[in-house]
Amino acid sequence: MSQKVVNVAVGIILRGAQTYICKRPDDKHQGGLWEFPGGKIEAGETTTAALTRELLEEVAIEVHSSDSFMLIEHDYGDKQVRLDIHKVSDFSGEPHGAEGQQGEWVALNDLHRYAFPKANQAILEKLCS
């Protein structure tokens, strides 16, 4: 029986040489690890619409535009994810953990100091190269 693939819109929120990351709640899949904010793409929703909705809900910013960065498909064994990653540098508001999660601005060259889910490794390599 094949697993359902979870389609996720991911935003790399950029300001200069910094990006905003959030810590996943301990009770969620890959809990306790850091991630770039975003969330599930709902049925009939475009990636851009999902990204705009999720970033408003999760970190309270309004996305004005984003640029496609990369697509990652990863199988965790218990869950398959398809990450549609966009760079977001045109936004209003100041990102914060709107759902109570920890979040912080991190210099791109310091991202290696944070533990991310395995699916994020390719993002980190491309972003920091």
Side-chain angles (χ1 to χ4, degrees), residues 99-112:
E99 297 176 324
Q101 75 279 30
Q102 185 179 347
E104 60 187 71
W105 284 105
V106 177
L108 294 176
N109 57 6
D110 286 337
L111 284 171
H112 67 278

Side-chain angles (χ1 to χ4, degrees), residues 25-123:
D26 290 334
D27 62 341
K28 301 280 187 198
H29 186 262
Q30 300 291 305
L33 299 178
W34 291 86
E35 67 177 354
F36 299 97
K40 290 180 188 165
I41 301 170
E42 303 295 340
E45 192 175 39
T46 66
T47 299
T48 303
L51 185 66
T52 300
R53 176 182 52 76
E54 285 287 348
L55 293 185
L56 184 61
E57 291 172 4
E58 198 172 319
V59 295
I61 64 169
E62 187 174 324
V63 176
H64 300 296
S65 66
S66 66
D67 298 305
S68 184
F69 184 61
M70 67 190 303
L71 185 67
I72 295 173
E73 294 182 352
H74 187 83
D75 186 348
Y76 282 106
D78 61 336
K79 180 184 277 193
Q80 289 185 21
V81 293
R82 183 175 186 269
L83 308 178
D84 195 344
I85 302 119
H86 286 239
K87 282 186 173 180
V88 178
S89 52
D90 184 9
F91 62 91
S92 56
E94 180 60 27
H96 66 278
E99 297 176 324
Q101 75 279 30
Q102 185 179 347
E104 60 187 71
W105 284 105
V106 177
L108 294 176
N109 57 6
D110 286 337
L111 284 171
H112 67 278
R113 297 179 183 176
Y114 293 79
F116 284 83
K118 285 201 184 331
N120 285 227
Q121 292 309 311
I123 302 171

